[in-house]
């Protein structure tokens, strides 16, 4: 098998490495090899268990009226295999009466038991099996069927189901009591379908049985082909004598490793999946959680994370800890401008939208016997979001996953700093660095690339390093959801029809947020222009206008919008890689040049390609404060400084021929001094908590953030570490924290 050869090749490399650093015992080597290659072996096991090598059944599951019987017959004809309808071929033959007669005879609860017994006595292989709508409500039945089959959920629109049942003159189904509506019961049943399916067929409205059958076959094919969705580094180079597959990674591996070993960033080897117009239209009326489930299922292969487990993670991530039930609502500001409010998470910034989910993805993907230290560089908001996110893992996962977040000691707002420090838990620490964010980010990348240090940590402490910055694909991917969701909300609210274009304007520093919008467009959201908004650190604006990325003679300025006080924009590399037709050699050249010569210039053809989709401008400190003041006066809405930067740039650059969605990346309470200065509030020299409560009394929009107000007192009392701007010093801190967290475990 390909993976076996790949695994053996990597093992040889690792053994050679450990030999070179004089590892004392084979036991140490075995420990590291088991932790490094456990994931590959698990995936091999998954492949052998779920292969459709002739004897597996395709099991069609869905509500009554989903078309399971008809679709099953069509698939049986296409595959020339046996077709079994549970209603007709098992239940009625076992009972010698119709299903409706049996239901009327024994009642709802007894019917489920009788139905379960009949199916438990049945076995088949290599067949297409159409379940009843109530089979998934009986656990023993589903476990029995799943042993030898792939369960395909026919997710048909509820309106289509109701119409079909009416045409079939079905007025009662299992579980429906007197007074209960058919619609409510069908919604109730969804919890059982979500529990059991292996792959979902997301059906468009009024799709024909033939169309659904084709989708089923494509879904099963994808489910079988565990090698079909791989990732490569943006700096990949494949010599002629090299096995290209040996350079690819699976989703789970990219989440674990964070940064590619060659210093590049992981991207999908193929294009992201694109939803059809009909599929997007089905999501218009969906909740944020439902949208997330559909989109992430398309992007994460079930061999990495099973669909049912992924759904549990999504519901946990976007549950009660968000202050708004819509998670990321869109608010009309004025004219053609709309605000995408991304600050209702527990730490009040857009980072929560990915960092409430990413830790659960990470914990699932890592081998159960491994310890991981997650290193994070933060420009302000990521630090508290990542500490909070990883603190919500279960106790077992927290014992094997720790987080160290490095932030510029004097380069973030006082509240952001207090929030990071106050977010420290038993598995998470905050470390202030006497430098700026660019140093923190560069230092973390250098630590990842230091093979000697990583090998030492693995041998001495049984610990592997990873990242939760947006350089990690598992952190970036969830951000695609809210850009897609914002567009769907505009459709739902009647401002546009699906297919009408919109522009997006995003305050941009590390390029991750705006890149997620690019990925949303690749998946089918009709975004026309990406407006990149910079503050005084406008290296990205200059680059988009000229193609020259130049850090020479440029010093980082501290501004009112510290989260975008960034000069080295990591995720830009991912976008350039796409524009340059996946030229890894060019990316290596450009970003090595940036590292050592502090500048690079892209060719004219790439500049023109970039400018087809992107426009950019920057906002001064004075204009930022003025925008906060004027917006509040006009609409009683308070922008945070980052959102104000975006609004200023949107006002200048957007031509008003279509709506523009401005990303509001943080709640204004996190930047109280700047807001008070902008609103000309005289009591500016109060304590941090007093400033927050004073601003909260203004009766403005958006409403005060309860979680931010609640945590102000406890944050002021916690201790944290501070270190010099030296990579070796940071490495020493990392080792100390690993000792503190994991030596008690080992």
């Amino acid at each position: 098998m390909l993976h076996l050869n790949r695994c053996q090749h990597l093992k040889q490399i690792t053994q050679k490495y450990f030999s070179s650093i004089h590892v004392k015992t084979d036991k140490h080597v075995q420990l590291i090899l088991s932790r490094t290659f456990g994931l590959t072996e698990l995936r091999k096991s998954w492949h052998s268990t779920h292969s459709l090598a002739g004897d597996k059944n395709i099991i069609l599951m869905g509500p009554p009226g989903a078309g399971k019987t008809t679709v099953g017959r069509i698939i049986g004809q296409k595959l020339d295999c046996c077709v079994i309808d549970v209603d007709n071929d098992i239940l009625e033959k076992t009972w010698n009466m119709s299903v409706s007669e049996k239901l009327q005879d024994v009642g709802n609860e007894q019917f489920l038991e009788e139905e379960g017994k009949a199916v438990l006595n049945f076995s088949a292989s290599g067949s297409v099996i159409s379940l009843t709508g109530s089979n998934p409500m009986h656990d023993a039945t589903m476990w029995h069927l799943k042993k030898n089959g792939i369960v395909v959920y026919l997710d048909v629109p509820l309106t289509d189901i109701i119409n079909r049942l009416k045409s079939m003159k079905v007025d009662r189904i299992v579980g429906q009591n007197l007074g209960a509506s058919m619609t409510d019961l069908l919604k109730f049943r969804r919890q059982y379908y979500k529990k059991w399916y292996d792959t979902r067929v997301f059906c468009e409205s009024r799709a024909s049985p033939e169309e659904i059958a084709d989708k089923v076959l494509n879904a099963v094919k994808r489910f079988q082909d565990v090698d079909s969705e791989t990732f490569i580094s943006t700096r990949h180079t494949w010599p002629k004598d090299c096995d290209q597959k040996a350079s690819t990674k699976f989703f789970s591996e990219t989440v674990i490793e964070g940064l590619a070993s060659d210093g590049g960033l992981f991207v999908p080897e193929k294009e992201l999946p694109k939803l059809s117009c009909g599929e997007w239209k089905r999501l218009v009326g969906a909740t944020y959680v439902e949208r997330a489930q559909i989109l992430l299922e398309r992007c994460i292969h079930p061999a990495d994370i099973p669909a049912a487990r992924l759904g549990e993670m999504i519901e946990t991530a976007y549950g009660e800890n968000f202050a708004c039930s819509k998670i990321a609502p869109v608010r009309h500001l004025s004219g053609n401008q709309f605000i995408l409010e991304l600050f209702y998470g527990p730490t009040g910034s857009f980072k929560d939208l990915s960092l409430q989910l990413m830790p659960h993805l990470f914990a699932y993907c890592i081998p159960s016997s491994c310890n991981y230290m997650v290193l994070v560089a933060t420009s302000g908001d990521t630090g508290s979001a990542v500490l909070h996110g990883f603190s919500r893992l279960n106790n077992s996962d927290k014992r094997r996953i720790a987080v160290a977040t490095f932030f510029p000691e004097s380069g973030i707002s006082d509240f952001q700093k207090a929030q990071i420090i106050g977010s420290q838990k038993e598995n998470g620490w905050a470390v202030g660095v006497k430098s700026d964010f660019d140093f923190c980010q560069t230092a973390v990348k250098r630590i990842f690339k230091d093979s000697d240090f990583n090998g030492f940590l693995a041998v001495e402490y049984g610990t592997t390093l990873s990242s939760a910055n947006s350089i990690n694909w598992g952190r970036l991917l969830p951000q695609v959801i809210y850009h897609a969701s914002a567009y769907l909300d505009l459709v739902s609210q009647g401002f546009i029809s699906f297919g009408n274009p919109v522009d997006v304007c995003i305050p941009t520093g590390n390029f991750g947020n705006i890149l997620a919008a690019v990925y949303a467009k690749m998946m089918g959201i009709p975004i026309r222009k990406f407006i990149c908004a910079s503050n005084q650190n406008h290296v990205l604006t200059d680059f988009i206008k000229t193609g020259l990325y130049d850090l020479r003679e440029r010093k980082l300025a501290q501004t009112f919008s510290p989260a975008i006080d960034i000069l080295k924009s990591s995720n830009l590399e991912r976008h350039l890689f796409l524009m340059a037709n996946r030229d890894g050699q060019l990316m290596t050249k450009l970003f090595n040049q940036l590292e050592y010569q502090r500048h690079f210039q892209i060719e004219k053809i790439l500049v023109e390609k970039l400018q087809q989709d992107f426009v950019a401008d920057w906002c001064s400190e004075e204009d930022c404060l003025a925008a906060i003041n004027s917006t509040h006066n006009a609409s009683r809405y308070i922008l945070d400084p980052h959102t104000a930067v975006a609004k200023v740039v949107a006002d200048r650059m957007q031509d008003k021929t279509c709506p523009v969605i401005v990303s509001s990346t943080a709640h204004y309470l996190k930047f109280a001094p700047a807001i008070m200065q902008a609103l000309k509030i005289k009591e500016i020299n109060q304590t941090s908590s007093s400033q927050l409560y004073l601003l909260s009394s203004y009766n403005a929009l958006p409403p005060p953030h309860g979680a931010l107000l609640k945590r102000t007192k406890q944050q002021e009392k916690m201790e944290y570490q501070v270190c010099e701007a030296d990579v070796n010093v940071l490495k020493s801190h990392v080792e100390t924290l690993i000792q503190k967290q994991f030596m008690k475990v080992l």
Side-chain angles (χ1 to χ4, degrees):
M1 280 183 66
L2 173 64
H3 290 310
L4 182 59
N5 294 335
R6 173 178 169 184
C7 187
Q8 289 173 336
H9 174 66
L10 292 173
K11 283 183 178 179
Q12 291 172 0
I13 293 174
T14 307
Q15 286 171 327
K16 182 177 180 180
Y17 166 74
F18 284 119
S19 174
S20 70
I21 61 171
H22 308 293
V23 175
K24 296 180 181 180
T25 69
D26 289 338
K27 184 177 180 181
H28 283 132
V29 176
Q30 292 302 318
L31 170 68
I32 308 311
L33 290 177
S34 67
R35 297 185 177 200
T36 305
F37 303 106
L39 189 65
T40 303
E41 301 300 329
L42 283 171
R43 196 177 186 97
K44 283 168 50 189
S45 172
W46 190 97
H47 183 276
S48 63
T49 302
H50 291 77
S51 175
L52 267 177
D55 61 341
K56 291 286 184 180
N57 299 310
I58 298 176
I59 302 169
L60 302 181
M61 178 186 71
K68 301 181 292 296
T69 299
T70 304
V71 170
R73 288 172 184 159
I74 295 171
I75 294 172
Q77 292 174 353
K78 288 177 177 287
L79 300 180
D80 192 24
C81 66
C82 179
V83 179
I84 300 167
D85 181 79
V86 172
D87 265 339
N88 298 329
D89 300 322
I90 300 175
L91 299 183
E92 293 190 356
K93 288 183 178 180
T94 300
W95 296 333
N96 291 318
M97 65 173 69
S98 70
V99 171
S100 60
E101 289 173 335
K102 186 71 171 181
L103 176 58
Q104 189 173 6
D105 184 38
V106 301
N108 287 321
E109 293 186 13
Q110 186 60 32
F111 179 88
L112 289 175
E113 290 302 316
E114 295 287 338
E115 182 184 55
K117 288 178 183 178
V119 177
L120 286 170
N121 290 324
F122 157 80
S123 63
S125 62
S127 302
V128 179
I129 302 174
S130 299
L131 300 183
T132 72
S134 54
N135 281 150
M137 300 172 72
H138 194 269
D139 286 4
T141 295
M142 295 307 297
W143 283 120
H144 172 68
L145 292 169
K146 278 177 71 75
K147 288 178 182 177
N148 195 40
I150 298 175
V151 179
V152 182
Y153 173 27
L154 302 189
D155 187 352
V156 178
L158 187 59
T159 52
D160 287 8
I161 297 291
I162 297 296
N163 290 335
R164 288 177 190 172
L165 292 176
K166 286 181 179 178
S167 68
M168 296 162 60
K169 298 183 179 179
V170 175
D171 57 4
R172 184 187 175 197
I173 60 177
V174 178
Q176 187 173 6
N177 297 314
L178 187 64
S181 72
M182 185 75 74
T183 299
D184 289 342
L185 181 58
L186 290 171
K187 289 180 178 179
F188 172 77
R189 279 205 183 173
R190 285 176 179 168
Q191 62 181 306
Y192 298 101
Y193 304 138
K194 290 193 296 183
K195 180 179 179 180
W196 295 111
Y197 71 97
D198 293 308
T199 184
R200 180 203 307 252
V201 171
F202 190 57
C203 304
E204 299 180 20
S205 179
R206 299 179 182 177
S208 69
E210 290 77 15
E211 291 171 331
I212 296 175
D214 287 339
K215 279 197 165 190
V216 169
L217 293 174
N218 288 333
V220 171
K221 181 180 179 181
R222 180 200 178 211
F223 186 84
Q224 295 178 90
D225 192 356
V226 298
D227 297 340
S228 63
E229 297 173 21
T230 52
F231 293 75
I232 56 175
S233 168
T234 51
R235 302 186 192 183
H236 77 90
T237 53
W238 289 326
K240 293 181 180 179
D241 59 347
C242 177
D243 177 9
Q244 292 187 5
K245 277 293 180 184
S247 301
T248 63
K249 300 286 184 180
F250 300 116
F251 172 84
S252 44
E253 292 174 305
T254 68
V255 173
I256 292 172
E257 296 178 24
L259 188 71
S261 59
D262 57 13
L265 307 181
F266 289 118
V267 292
E269 188 175 10
K270 302 175 183 177
E271 290 187 357
L272 285 168
K274 189 169 184 176
L275 276 68
S276 68
C277 178
E279 289 172 328
W280 281 118
K281 286 181 177 179
R282 264 206 71 187
L283 290 175
V284 169
T287 66
Y288 190 90
V289 167
E290 291 167 342
R291 293 167 180 171
Q293 179 88 38
I294 296 298
L295 297 182
L296 292 180
E297 280 181 21
R298 294 291 181 91
C299 297
I300 301 174
H301 196 282
D304 290 294
I305 302 177
R309 184 70 185 92
L310 178 61
E312 293 172 1
M313 296 179 193
I314 292 169
E315 289 180 358
T316 299
Y318 305 120
E320 297 178 356
N321 56 330
F322 275 76
C324 177
S325 61
K326 292 184 177 180
I327 311 301
V330 176
R331 186 188 299 270
H332 182 224
L333 186 62
S334 62
N336 71 324
Q337 288 189 353
F338 297 83
I339 298 290
L340 172 55
E341 297 180 332
L342 299 172
F343 44 69
Y344 288 109
T347 69
S349 87
F350 78 103
K351 307 297 176 70
D352 290 322
L353 275 296
S354 56
L355 283 167
Q356 287 297 301
L357 177 61
M358 186 265 184
H360 298 283
L361 303 177
F362 185 85
Y364 183 88
C365 290
I366 65 175
S368 59
S369 60
C370 294
N371 296 328
Y372 277 83
M373 172 60 79
V374 178
L375 304 185
V376 178
T378 178
S379 56
D381 291 326
T382 296
S384 55
V386 75
L387 289 169
H388 186 281
F390 277 92
S391 74
R392 295 185 68 229
L393 295 174
N394 62 47
N395 289 332
S396 175
D397 288 334
K398 283 193 285 190
R399 283 193 292 269
R400 62 197 183 106
I401 304 171
V403 181
T405 180
F406 298 96
F407 65 90
E409 170 67 10
S410 301
I412 58 179
S413 77
D414 290 341
F415 183 84
Q416 285 177 310
K417 183 175 179 179
Q419 189 178 34
I420 292 172
I421 297 166
S423 296
Q424 296 178 104
K425 300 292 183 181
E426 67 268 28
N427 67 327
W429 294 276
V431 181
V433 181
K434 296 179 179 179
S435 187
D436 54 33
F437 170 76
D438 285 328
F439 172 81
C440 295
Q441 181 168 247
T442 300
V444 167
K445 287 184 177 181
R446 288 179 179 174
I447 291 173
F448 285 141
K449 291 175 67 176
D450 188 334
S451 58
D452 288 338
F453 182 63
N454 280 266
F456 166 74
L457 295 179
V459 173
E460 289 297 319
Y461 306 112
T463 299
T464 304
L465 299 181
S466 188
S467 170
N469 281 102
S470 57
I471 60 174
N472 189 311
W473 181 257
R475 156 72 191 284
L476 180 62
L477 179 61
Q479 295 180 243
V480 178
I481 302 163
Y482 58 72
H483 288 298
S485 184
Y487 181 88
L488 296 172
D489 280 348
L490 288 190
V491 176
S492 176
Q493 295 168 24
F495 288 105
I496 57 174
S497 298
F498 190 88
N500 295 149
V502 298
D503 293 339
V504 295
C505 184
I506 301 171
T508 305
N510 217 19
F511 210 79
N513 199 352
I514 202 166
L515 180 62
V518 173
Y519 289 147
K521 180 176 182 177
M522 292 172 64
M523 293 186 73
I525 294 296
I527 298 173
R528 185 185 64 164
K529 288 289 185 180
F530 304 93
I531 305 173
C532 175
S534 305
N535 60 18
Q536 290 184 190
N537 299 293
H538 45 82
V539 63
L540 277 173
T541 291
D542 295 345
F543 172 71
I544 290 169
K545 289 182 175 182
T546 66
L548 174 64
Y549 202 105
D550 195 353
L551 300 182
R552 296 170 297 182
E553 308 301 323
R554 192 188 291 265
K555 293 183 178 180
L556 190 75
Q558 292 187 9
T559 72
F560 294 129
S561 47
I564 54 174
D565 286 348
I566 297 171
L567 294 180
K568 288 186 178 180
S569 180
S570 288
N571 279 292
L572 177 64
E573 182 172 342
R574 282 187 167 116
H575 189 61
L576 291 181
F577 180 72
L578 287 176
M579 288 201 314
N581 297 317
R582 299 172 176 268
D583 188 340
Q585 190 170 359
L586 176 61
M587 294 305 104
T588 302
K589 174 185 174 182
L590 292 179
F591 286 91
N592 280 341
Q593 187 175 344
L594 181 65
E595 179 72 17
Y596 299 109
Q597 300 178 31
R598 295 181 61 76
H599 70 97
F600 68 74
Q601 173 76 52
I602 60 173
E603 296 180 356
K604 182 179 179 182
I605 189 171
L606 288 181
V607 177
E608 292 172 349
K609 196 171 182 180
L610 178 66
Q611 292 174 350
Q612 287 176 5
D613 294 320
F614 278 77
V615 295
D617 205 349
W618 66 279
C619 170
S620 68
E621 295 289 84
E622 295 77 11
D623 287 346
C624 172
L625 296 182
I628 295 171
N629 185 283
S630 62
T631 302
H632 177 256
N633 289 338
S635 60
R636 300 296 295 172
Y637 193 96
I638 301 180
L639 306 171
D640 93 287
H642 305 80
T643 313
V645 166
K647 185 180 185 326
V648 168
V649 173
D651 288 341
R652 290 181 194 156
M653 306 299 292
Q654 213 265 344
D655 61 12
K656 296 181 174 58
T657 59
C658 72
V660 57
I661 302 173
V662 178
S663 287
S664 183
T665 55
H667 196 279
Y668 64 86
L669 286 182
K670 300 187 77 167
F671 307 95
I675 302 302
M676 295 177 76
Q677 184 176 339
L679 300 183
K680 298 178 170 53
I681 299 173
K682 295 181 179 180
E683 300 90 338
I684 195 168
N685 293 320
Q686 298 181 357
T687 64
S688 176
S689 58
S690 297
Q691 291 176 343
L692 263 65
Y693 281 101
L694 177 60
L695 284 176
S696 298
S697 68
Y698 264 57
N699 195 30
L701 292 174
H705 196 297
L708 299 184
L709 294 172
K710 185 177 179 181
R711 298 185 62 165
T712 51
K713 294 182 179 179
Q714 67 184 55
Q715 292 164 355
E716 295 171 356
K717 300 177 182 178
M718 295 191 71
E719 297 180 353
Y720 70 105
Q721 302 177 48
V722 180
C723 71
E724 298 295 328
D726 184 302
V727 175
N728 289 325
V729 174
L730 264 66
K731 283 160 57 175
S732 177
H733 274 274
V734 170
E735 183 181 358
T736 299
L737 294 176
I738 287 174
Q739 290 173 341
K740 184 176 181 180
Q741 174 72 13
F742 298 125
M743 291 307 291
K744 57 187 178 184
V745 177
L746 294 175

